[in-house]
Amino acid sequence: MKAIVHAGMNGLKSLTYEDVVDKQPSFGEVKVRLKTAGLNHRDLFLMADRTNEDAPLIMGSDGAGIIEAIGEGITSLTIGTDVIINPCIGWEITHDVPNVPAIVGGPSDGTFAESIIIPAQNAVRKPAYLSWEEAGVLPLSALTAYRALFTRGRLQQGEHILIPGIGGGVATYAMLMASAAGARVSVTSRSETKRQVALAHGADHAFDSHSDWKESMKGETVDLILDSIGPATFQQYFDIIKPNGRIVTFGASSGDRMEIAVRSIFYPQISIIGTSMGSSEEFIAMLEFMEHHSIRPIIDSVYPLQDTFQAFQRMQQGEQSGNIGIKIN
């Protein structure tokens, strides 16, 4: 079968479109004939860290398709079932958090291929209202956003949330979900185009990331901030967050290290909360929430499998608004 494989030096330059061995599922596994897949920034981070000592890896964590083979011991699924892939392997119970969740597309082979073999519990029936393109780009980002908002962030109707850096997958899903939950949503971006897209899809307020945040918020403060940026913006959060507010962090696109004035945390009693990915329980809850509110992914563009390199170039340049998809079969 055809697949996008990373091997050799780090970075995008080591991606190839090639033939790989087509395997069959073992006990407790299913084989999914993939229709679509989706890109994540996680893919770029993984490729940046890999070396020529690492085994070749099929990239990709998001995907959806049709079950074409079933291993022994499976009674809950049948051949021909349309499924969406939960990319978090082995994390079943929400509060039983693993040290580092195992993710499809690193360490195990991923979704940028004509088929994939996964544990049966990670093949979840695709909501009928979603197109194949929408289902294929949804899993990891939407799951991360759902856990960040509701499990860790405890977002309530009527609260005010700030989502810096709108335009990427997790931030966009968080905006859509928060709006559906009845929260007031503010977003930031350096891009006027991305700010306008956010306002068209439910954001209540959008402002330039490089502006004076207190001035741009016009005296308003927020209950919850979803941070994926880290040191470049973190200190500004304390200017606009309410006492007893929560900062949920799930990324570090501007670096891993920063200094925080400790008094800015303990005097206003701010909670700084970490999160990443999510459990099988949360994946089901996320799909039910999205279907109940008829939330659809915002798709920036869709590329054929053989053009995955060009798709990553678009993501790397930060041009997209929403998800970048891959069409496979």
Side-chain angles (χ1 to χ4, degrees):
M1 68 172 181
K2 294 292 187 181
I4 298 294
V5 179
H6 189 272
M9 295 181 293
N10 63 0
L12 279 178
K13 56 186 174 292
S14 294
L15 275 184
T16 57
Y17 176 63
E18 61 183 73
D19 287 304
V20 299
V21 176
D22 193 6
K23 302 176 183 177
Q24 295 303 312
S26 300
F27 185 90
E29 296 178 330
V30 296
K31 182 179 181 181
V32 179
R33 182 77 172 176
L34 288 157
K35 299 279 290 183
T36 51
L39 273 61
N40 289 285
H41 279 95
R42 176 180 185 270
D43 303 318
L44 292 174
F45 299 149
L46 281 176
M47 286 187 282
D49 287 340
R50 284 172 51 79
T51 71
N52 56 12
E53 296 181 1
D54 293 313
L57 175 68
I58 299 174
M59 303 301 302
S61 299
D62 286 344
I66 303 170
I67 293 179
E68 69 171 10
I70 295 176
E72 295 182 8
I74 305 302
T75 59
S76 58
L77 295 167
T78 57
I79 292 174
T81 302
D82 295 348
V83 296
I84 185 169
I85 293 170
N86 173 8
C88 289
I89 305 295
W91 184 1
E92 303 301 319
I93 308 301
T94 298
H95 299 295
D96 187 13
V97 180
N99 287 334
V100 180
I103 310 292
V104 168
S108 62
D109 280 335
T111 55
F112 297 159
E114 292 179 325
S115 65
I116 186 174
I117 294 173
I118 55 172
Q121 59 266 32
N122 288 81
V124 180
R125 293 180 187 274
K126 181 180 82 70
Y129 83 102
L130 293 173
S131 70
W132 281 115
E133 287 78 10
E134 291 168 336
V137 302
L138 183 150
L140 189 59
S141 292
L143 175 61
T144 301
Y146 184 88
R147 178 175 173 83
L149 282 176
F150 302 116
T151 305
R152 303 293 281 158
R154 307 184 307 279
L155 180 67
Q156 299 296 314
Q157 182 179 2
E159 289 191 316
H160 190 174
I161 179 174
L162 174 69
I163 306 172
I166 199 66
V170 179
T172 301
Y173 285 115
M175 176 189 72
L176 297 172
M177 293 177 188
S179 180
R184 175 169 170 75
V185 182
S186 293
V187 303
T188 81
S189 175
R190 293 171 294 179
S191 165
E192 173 66 18
T193 299
K194 291 182 181 182
R195 296 197 297 270
Q196 291 303 317
V197 170
L199 290 169
H201 286 87
D204 298 288
H205 180 51
F207 62 92
D208 191 333
S209 304
H210 288 162
S211 68
D212 181 305
W213 286 30
K214 288 182 72 174
E215 182 178 312
S216 295
M217 289 291 290
K218 300 174 183 177
E220 289 195 64
T221 52
V222 301
D223 302 279
L224 175 63
I225 298 172
L226 254 58
D227 170 60
S228 63
I229 301 171
T233 55
F234 210 91
Q235 196 58 48
Q236 296 178 85
Y237 300 160
F238 299 102
D239 294 332
I240 57 167
I241 195 167
K242 295 177 182 178
N244 204 37
R246 295 97 65 200
I247 301 171
V248 176
T249 178
F250 61 90
S253 61
S254 64
D256 287 329
R257 297 184 179 277
M258 60 184 171
E259 292 185 1
I260 301 175
V262 177
R263 287 177 177 80
S264 65
I265 301 172
F266 66 71
Y267 277 135
Q269 303 191 39
I270 304 301
S271 297
I272 300 176
I273 305 162
T275 191
S276 63
M277 279 66 89
S279 67
S280 294
E281 290 180 336
E282 289 164 312
F283 192 82
I284 298 299
M286 175 270 293
L287 290 179
E288 290 175 348
F289 180 89
M290 292 190 67
E291 187 162 15
H292 176 74
H293 292 283
S294 299
I295 298 173
R296 294 180 177 274
I298 298 172
I299 296 180
D300 172 84
S301 51
V302 179
Y303 292 75
L305 181 63
Q306 61 267 31
D307 292 341
T308 299
F309 179 88
Q310 287 78 9
F312 273 121
Q313 284 185 312
R314 179 168 178 80
M315 172 175 277
Q316 199 170 48
Q317 292 161 6
E319 298 174 347
Q320 82 279 6
S321 291
N323 294 100
I324 299 174
I326 300 295
K327 186 175 177 61
I328 302 172
N329 292 304

